[in-house]
């Protein structure tokens, strides 16, 4: 019988079954996220069978309230969505260029940490992948680490790829 190299899990009957995964890969366009994305695709994912969802998110741009006046930021939000979609599309194309057949993007605007967790749950992913920027010191104390938050709050395994 033909045995593929890759990920196998024991089945109930005791035989091995091949593991096909649905993965949410979080990127932000930074060099760190590009390195994590490339490393995941090059070293861990399966080109023919895994589903790769590229997640790109950003914080919501709120309206500005100044002395009883409101500055509506709808135009800024639309520019933000276009930019994020461009980032997602570039990562999707990079995945397709590497030979992945089932790769697509999702763009979300809102609290980044919460939207990643919600997207992973809604998409019922098997694995959440993110890079680590290496934030330290006071910044980490004040803002926290997104990867740490994901590790503690995701309902699926989280793979953090460091530089």
């Amino acid at each position: 019988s033909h045995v593929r190299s890759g990920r196998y899990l024991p089945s109930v009957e005791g035989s091995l079954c091949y593991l096909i995964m649905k993965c949410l890969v979080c990127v932000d366009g930074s060099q760190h996220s590009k390195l994590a994305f490339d490393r995941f695709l090059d070293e861990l994912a399966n080109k023919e069978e895994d589903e790769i969802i590229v997640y790109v998110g950003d914080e919501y741009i709120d309206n500005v309230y100044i002395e009883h006046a409101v500055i509506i930021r709808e135009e800024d939000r639309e520019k933000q969505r276009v930019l994020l979609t461009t980032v997602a599309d570039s990562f999707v194309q990079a995945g397709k260029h590497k030979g992945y057949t089932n790769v697509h993007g999702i763009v979300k605007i809102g609290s980044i940490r919460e939207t990643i967790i919600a997207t992973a749950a809604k998409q019922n992913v098997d694995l959440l992948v993110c890079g680590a920027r290496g934030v330290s010191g006071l910044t980490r104390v004040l803002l926290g680490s997104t990867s740490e938050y994901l590790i503690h709050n995701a309902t699926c395994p989280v793979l953090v790829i460091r530089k």
Side-chain angles (χ1 to χ4, degrees):
S1 81
H2 175 29
V3 177
R4 292 177 285 192
S5 63
R7 303 161 305 225
Y8 289 88
L9 290 178
S11 69
V12 175
E13 302 85 32
S15 61
L16 293 177
C17 62
Y18 189 72
L19 179 63
I20 297 172
M21 297 199 331
K22 185 175 188 179
C23 308
L24 184 68
V25 183
C26 304
V27 299
D28 60 9
S30 70
Q31 191 61 28
H32 284 94
S33 70
K34 181 173 179 356
L35 289 170
F37 178 79
D38 287 342
R39 189 166 180 200
F40 177 69
L41 294 187
D42 293 344
E43 298 176 18
L44 300 170
N46 182 296
K47 289 181 183 179
E48 292 83 25
E49 296 170 338
D50 287 347
E51 178 179 358
I52 308 296
I53 304 169
V54 177
Y55 172 95
V56 181
D58 201 0
E59 296 292 328
Y60 182 76
I61 298 175
D62 210 352
N63 294 330
V64 178
Y65 299 90
I66 305 172
E67 295 186 25
H68 307 293
V70 178
I71 299 171
I72 304 297
R73 305 288 298 271
E74 195 59 44
E75 186 177 312
D76 293 334
R77 287 192 286 266
E78 185 53 34
K79 287 179 185 175
Q80 178 187 32
R81 183 168 294 287
V82 168
L83 176 64
L84 295 175
T85 301
T86 301
V87 171
D89 289 347
S90 71
F91 278 89
V92 167
Q93 289 308 313
K96 288 182 178 180
H97 182 73
K98 288 178 179 281
Y100 284 83
T101 56
N102 193 1
V103 57
H104 53 95
I106 292 180
V107 171
K108 296 288 182 180
I109 297 176
S111 170
I112 293 172
R113 295 170 175 182
E114 283 82 12
T115 58
I116 292 172
I117 295 293
T119 302
K122 182 176 181 182
Q123 294 292 323
N124 196 29
V125 299
D126 302 305
L127 181 66
L128 184 54
V129 180
C130 65
R133 282 199 137 146
V135 176
S136 61
L138 185 58
T139 303
R140 185 176 195 149
V141 171
L142 295 175
L143 301 176
S145 161
T146 299
S147 55
E148 267 186 48
Y149 181 87
L150 298 177
I151 289 167
H152 293 293
N153 293 282
T155 57
C156 64
V158 176
L159 173 63
V160 179
I161 299 178
R162 298 191 65 82
K163 187 175 173 183

